[in-house]
Amino acid sequence: MKRTLTWLQVTSNQFHIGNYFGAIKPIIDACSEEDAEVFLFVANMHSYNSVQDWSLRENTLNTLKLYLAAWVDPEKVFIYNQADVPGHAQLMRVLTSLTHMWFMDRMHAYKDKSGKKKSNEISVGLFTYPILMAADILLYDATHVPTGKDQKQHVEYARDIAGKFNHQYGETFVLPEPIIAQDLWVIPWIDGRKMSKSYNNYIWFLDTDEELSKKIKKIPTSAIWIEEPKNPDECNVYKIFRLLLTPEEDQNLRSRYEAWGLWFGQVKAELIEKMIEFIWPIRDTFQNISDQQVIDLLAKNAPRANKIAEAKIKDVYEKIGFSL
Ligand code: ADP
Ligand code: TRP
């Protein structure tokens, strides 16, 4: 049985189309596979490393509303809240004892995230987050973990530590497989950098039609003559547009680029129209989902998540000699 585990961060409530195509679309695709289960958890214990005020709650409500509005079907995806399940912290504590310092020192994502900050500006939680991440994965017998390249090392660590535990105590954990999103899904923006909250260069789902249209008009295009054929793969307007097209529409647009006489202003106008068509149902549904609906969904799912986690913790605690 394939069980895919994925997460959502609640460090912000600004959810952009890069996040949609990089994070939500793969979840929707995974759900369409037969005989596959998809688990999605709110990684609020991770987000707490950087967000330590009331916005954590707001971000959780709004991000979940956007996921639900953007066609994540809670009948097909099992959505739960990490902090509702004590097993995450319990398993993390066990793994902390089994993980050596030299290994943690090699974790590059921690180095990237902490940057040039001094040790009095970064939390121990950030340093140990790969261990919590391994617990998130191993608690639920996840077989597949889709992630960006930056997180591959962490999934491999989860796999290693699971193997080490199994070797010492007998079969306990399923070894997870990292599924690395292809570069194809890195959505670019104006400056050619990736669309990201960190660069403040994104289209997000709550942009008004006017804001959205202004942003698209600002995408720079090459100074090629209208008459000359153009390479769609070098054009950021195309790279965004193609995400919204069927394969036939995509082929058609490519041929228009490669033929003579394509005007970028026209393509941008078409992209604006298509983007509005794509975004408005999501925006509309988002506004109609109440806080209570989100709260109820998490409350409904907590017992099942706890049931799975408690069984795993019981097994672990018995094997290591905590429970007699
Ligand atoms: P951001 O860079 O905006 O802060 P996050 O790092 O919070 O985004 O990423 C949340 C999710 O969205 C991750 O799964 C990430 O792979 C995906 N994602 C973010 N930006 C992009 C992008 N430009 N293209 C594709 N996927 C993206
Ligand atoms: N650490 C991941 C990140 O920063 C998020 C994450 C937490 C995660 N737990 C996980 C990803 C479990 C996959 C599986 O992006």
Side-chain angles (χ1 to χ4, degrees), residues 6-7 9 11-12 14-24 67 113 146-148 150 181-189 193-199 201-202:
T6 177
W7 79 103
Q9 288 279 8
T11 43
S12 151
Q14 308 255 309
F15 197 82
H16 56 74
I17 61 160
N19 298 142
Y20 173 81
F21 287 102
I24 292 195
Y67 267 63
K113 286 201 185 182
T147 169
D150 60 325
Q182 296 172 8
D183 290 341
L184 184 74
W185 291 114
V186 175
I187 319 301
W189 195 239
R193 292 196 289 187
K194 80 164 205 148
M195 184 181 287
S196 169
K197 290 184 285 276
S198 324
Y199 307 138
N201 63 352
Y202 51 85

Side-chain angles (χ1 to χ4, degrees), residues 76-323:
K76 294 192 181 142
V77 182
F78 180 60
I79 304 173
Y80 57 100
N81 177 2
Q82 183 184 37
D84 282 342
V85 185
H88 290 255
Q90 291 172 307
L91 183 56
M92 181 202 176
R93 182 62 192 85
V94 171
L95 299 180
T96 303
S97 296
L98 299 174
T99 304
H100 294 131
M101 273 311 281
W102 74 268
F103 181 83
M104 292 304 293
D105 282 340
R106 287 170 46 227
M107 293 282 118
H108 58 70
Y110 159 73
K111 288 182 196 148
D112 296 345
K113 286 201 185 182
S114 54
K116 292 195 169 55
K117 288 185 189 152
K118 300 198 196 82
S119 61
N120 63 347
E121 295 167 321
I122 43 179
S123 71
V124 175
L126 182 64
F127 182 61
T128 55
Y129 92 88
I131 312 181
L132 179 58
M133 184 169 161
D136 300 336
I137 298 170
L138 301 178
L139 207 48
Y140 298 94
D141 291 338
T143 56
H144 294 77
V145 182
T147 169
K149 273 191 206 139
D150 60 325
Q151 298 295 318
K152 183 167 181 259
Q153 191 184 32
H154 298 156
V155 183
E156 281 163 355
Y157 153 69
R159 212 183 145 82
D160 288 352
I161 200 85
K164 185 175 162 184
F165 191 100
N166 289 351
H167 183 70
Q168 188 172 347
Y169 296 104
E171 265 332 282
T172 310
F173 297 117
V174 168
L175 306 192
E177 195 77 57
I179 309 292
I180 306 306
Q182 296 172 8
D183 290 341
L184 184 74
W185 291 114
V186 175
I187 319 301
W189 195 239
I190 301 188
D191 39 17
R193 292 196 289 187
K194 80 164 205 148
M195 184 181 287
S196 169
K197 290 184 285 276
S198 324
Y199 307 138
N200 200 14
N201 63 352
Y202 51 85
I203 289 188
W204 74 305
F205 283 92
L206 302 185
D207 271 339
T208 61
D209 294 357
E210 294 71 40
E211 285 164 336
L212 195 143
S213 149
K214 235 194 248 167
K215 288 180 183 176
I216 292 179
K217 283 184 186 151
K218 274 202 212 144
I219 307 175
T221 44
S222 64
I224 269 180
W225 285 95
I226 288 189
E227 288 78 10
E228 278 182 64
K230 299 161 188 75
N231 181 352
D233 297 320
E234 286 171 5
C235 176
N236 283 336
V237 181
Y238 170 77
K239 286 185 194 165
I240 295 170
F241 209 156
R242 68 166 184 188
L243 299 165
L244 307 175
L245 299 176
T246 61
E248 298 86 71
E249 288 170 332
D250 181 27
Q251 203 40 55
N252 194 291
L253 183 62
R254 289 187 72 85
S255 317
R256 284 172 58 206
Y257 266 81
E258 283 152 8
W260 296 70
L262 177 104
W263 178 47
F264 285 124
Q266 173 63 30
V267 185
K268 284 184 179 179
E270 290 170 25
L271 173 57
I272 291 168
E273 199 178 314
K274 197 85 179 168
M275 189 64 82
I276 291 173
E277 241 173 60
F278 170 65
I279 281 183
W280 82 255
I282 298 178
R283 198 164 53 202
D284 208 42
T285 313
F286 171 84
Q287 273 144 4
N288 286 316
I289 302 177
S290 67
D291 289 358
Q292 197 57 46
Q293 273 171 276
V294 172
I295 294 167
D296 290 347
L297 174 69
L298 295 179
K300 181 178 120 228
N301 286 350
R304 177 179 172 209
N306 269 303
K307 196 169 167 220
I308 301 172
E310 280 163 15
K312 187 64 80 187
I313 294 296
K314 182 170 184 285
D315 187 20
V316 169
Y317 275 21
E318 281 171 4
K319 282 179 173 147
I320 65 179
F322 277 4
S323 299

Side-chain angles (χ1 to χ4, degrees), residues 34-47:
E34 240 174 77
D35 202 26
E37 269 186 311
V38 183
F39 279 30
L40 168 70
F41 72 97
V42 179
N44 41 19
M45 292 167 112
H46 289 275
S47 304

